[in-house]
Amino acid sequence: MSQETIYLDYAATAPLQDDVKERVTAMLDVFGNPSSLHRIGMDAEANLSAARESVLQALGARQGRLVFTGGGTEANNLAVQGSAPHLEGRGRHIITTAIEHPAVHEPLRALSARGWEVTHVRPDANGDVSLADVVNAIRQDTVLVSMMHVNNETGAILPVEELSRVLEEYPKIRFHVDGTQALGKIPVRLANTSIDLYTVSAHKIGALKGVGALYVRQGVRLEPILYGGGQEAGTRSGTENVLGADAFGIAAAIAVENVRLDKDAAQTRQWFIDELEHIPGWTVRKPKSASPYIVNASLAGLRGEVIVHALESKGVFVSSGSACSTARGKQKRSHVLEAMGLSTEEIDAAVRFSWHPGTNKEDLRKALVVVREQSEWLRSMVGA
């Protein structure tokens, strides 16, 4: 009998949804260039427009536009670097948090090298970011706030909605939110907020990799970071990935409905945490407000990659922190957990369990059995 696979690394990426697979197969013959004026091109443009509308609806946006990109990283870069030329005349101070994804930190680092000043608001020991700390960082020359909606390592939900209400009093400050881990995991509603830019990624919700999008509030101007044929209303040049965008539109609609139907998600996460804490050696990070689909924890005395491989040998797939922090096969220490003030031992022992609305509780129960068995074995090997 083959070993059962239990995949708990949805924060890294999700397998293609069944409906998306069928749609992609059916769309393979739709090859037209959306910019072409003939019928084949117009068919492709119609599919692209439908996908755009579907993602906007998933984001609860009544106005504004959606720019398709080559992924969440490009969307974050477009938000940050594309905003700078339109803001620097009013000020050159940016607020972000110390737990952002490198797709935000790195373009901000590039702006710092060009004379911009960036304030990094730190989280507390649980991974929570204080609204007051962000507001207190606002200065006369602040022109941009960039903050993630859900942290990809701890699942902490940042005070995006609360900050949006505060920023209504600061009309000169542009507000960018990285929602890569939020869409399809928690309700998102951009209508009636002051959020100017919102990043999403397709493969996190069961669509194709290499596709992302940036929501742009009506009236917000961006300088392109890619120049060429002027596609996407001049904001992002390059022939559009119609197949990928179409799959994204299908997946977004399904993901939002799945979140709505998963009424017990928060209780299931708490049950998982309670069970994990009953296994000797485990310590769990517990933000006050968290995604119901991410749990970050450490097994004392062991390294994260050792735990990952021990679980994998029994068919349970998890991650040691953020998959995106692994570069050229070499794992980097988590800057998120460092910002929370964890010890080096705790950081090196951290693993992330992440699932999605379609994961059933029985699979989580089976995974916990494996975690207990492998934890006892690993601890016995190191004499813990």
Side-chain angles (χ1 to χ4, degrees):
M1 179 182 296
S2 62
Q3 182 174 264
E4 183 178 7
T5 294
I6 301 176
Y7 183 73
L8 298 180
D9 199 13
Y10 276 81
T13 193
L16 286 181
Q17 296 185 31
D18 290 341
D19 288 348
V20 172
K21 285 182 186 175
E22 292 181 15
R23 179 68 175 186
V24 168
T25 302
M27 282 284 294
L28 288 176
D29 289 330
V30 179
F31 64 91
N33 186 326
S35 297
S36 297
L37 298 179
H38 48 63
R39 179 180 55 78
I40 293 176
M42 292 174 68
D43 287 346
E45 172 56 31
N47 286 110
L48 191 65
S49 295
R52 207 184 303 279
E53 185 60 29
S54 179
V55 177
L56 282 171
Q57 287 186 10
L59 294 174
R62 292 198 189 118
Q63 297 179 319
R65 59 192 175 98
L66 195 79
V67 178
F68 283 116
T69 65
T73 293
E74 183 189 328
N76 280 332
N77 272 264
L78 176 60
V80 172
Q81 298 195 55
S83 289
H86 294 281
L87 302 177
E88 60 186 351
R90 304 200 300 262
R92 294 170 70 87
H93 177 241
I94 300 172
I95 299 170
T96 190
T97 79
I99 59 173
E100 297 299 311
H101 191 278
V104 167
H105 274 168
E106 291 306 315
L108 289 176
R109 192 193 308 275
L111 289 182
S112 295
R114 288 155 44 191
W116 288 71
E117 188 175 353
V118 181
T119 297
H120 295 83
V121 177
R122 298 179 68 82
D124 64 18
N126 294 317
D128 292 305
V129 172
S130 161
L131 173 65
D133 287 347
V134 178
V135 174
N136 289 337
I138 295 175
R139 312 186 325 202
Q140 287 290 330
D141 60 342
T142 302
V143 291
L144 176 65
V145 176
S146 183
M147 173 190 288
M148 56 178 24
H149 202 164
V150 173
N151 182 263
N152 54 310
E153 294 193 40
T154 67
I157 297 176
L158 277 65
V160 164
E161 295 177 9
E162 298 88 338
L163 182 60
S164 169
R165 290 192 285 273
V166 172
L167 291 180
E168 290 176 359
E169 301 176 12
Y170 298 86
K172 82 170 188 176
I173 298 178
R174 185 172 290 190
F175 188 19
H176 166 240
V177 177
D178 178 3
T180 300
Q181 295 289 346
L183 179 63
K185 305 297 171 55
I186 62 172
V188 177
R189 184 164 181 79
L190 300 184
N192 301 320
T193 73
S194 63
I195 295 171
D196 296 297
L197 302 160
Y198 196 93
T199 293
V200 287
S201 175
H203 74 97
K204 303 293 188 184
I205 59 170
L208 298 171
K209 294 177 177 63
V211 184
L214 182 67
Y215 160 80
V216 183
R217 190 182 186 191
Q218 190 170 35
V220 171
R221 298 171 61 205
L222 288 172
E223 186 69 16
I225 58 174
L226 294 176
Y227 292 91
Q231 287 87 348
E232 296 296 289
T235 305
R236 199 272 186 183
S237 289
T239 303
E240 294 92 341
N241 180 353
V242 178
L243 183 66
D246 185 85
F248 193 6
I250 299 295
I254 295 171
V256 169
E257 179 64 7
N258 287 343
V259 168
R260 188 184 69 81
L261 294 175
D262 196 6
K263 306 288 187 187
D264 298 327
Q267 292 89 331
T268 299
R269 178 179 182 273
Q270 186 58 53
W271 165 81
F272 186 92
I273 289 173
D274 292 343
E275 293 294 316
L276 188 58
E277 288 187 316
H278 276 98
I279 300 174
W282 282 94
T283 302
V284 181
R285 263 103 257 162
K286 291 181 279 190
K288 293 184 180 69
S289 178
S291 163
Y293 303 106
I294 296 178
V295 171
N296 187 294
S298 297
L299 179 58
L302 277 300
R303 293 187 64 86
E305 58 266 32
V306 173
I307 303 166
V308 167
H309 292 308
L311 298 181
E312 178 187 358
S313 70
K314 299 299 181 181
V316 176
F317 292 78
V318 302
S319 172
S320 56
S322 166
C324 301
S325 67
T326 305
R328 291 182 288 276
K330 188 174 182 179
Q331 189 82 16
K332 295 190 293 185
R333 188 163 286 147
S334 165
H335 70 282
V336 174
L337 301 184
E338 284 183 333
M340 291 163 58
L342 271 63
S343 67
T344 300
E345 290 74 19
E346 289 176 302
I347 296 171
D348 289 345
V351 295
R352 179 186 64 192
F353 303 87
S354 59
W355 55 95
H356 78 140
T359 304
N360 64 57
K361 194 171 180 178
E362 183 58 26
D363 278 347
L364 295 177
R365 194 187 309 278
K366 291 177 182 176
L368 284 164
V369 170
V370 172
V371 170
R372 177 179 290 277
E373 291 173 353
Q374 293 303 88
S375 298
E376 290 173 352
W377 173 68
L378 287 171
R379 282 166 56 83
S380 71
M381 295 291 288
V382 297

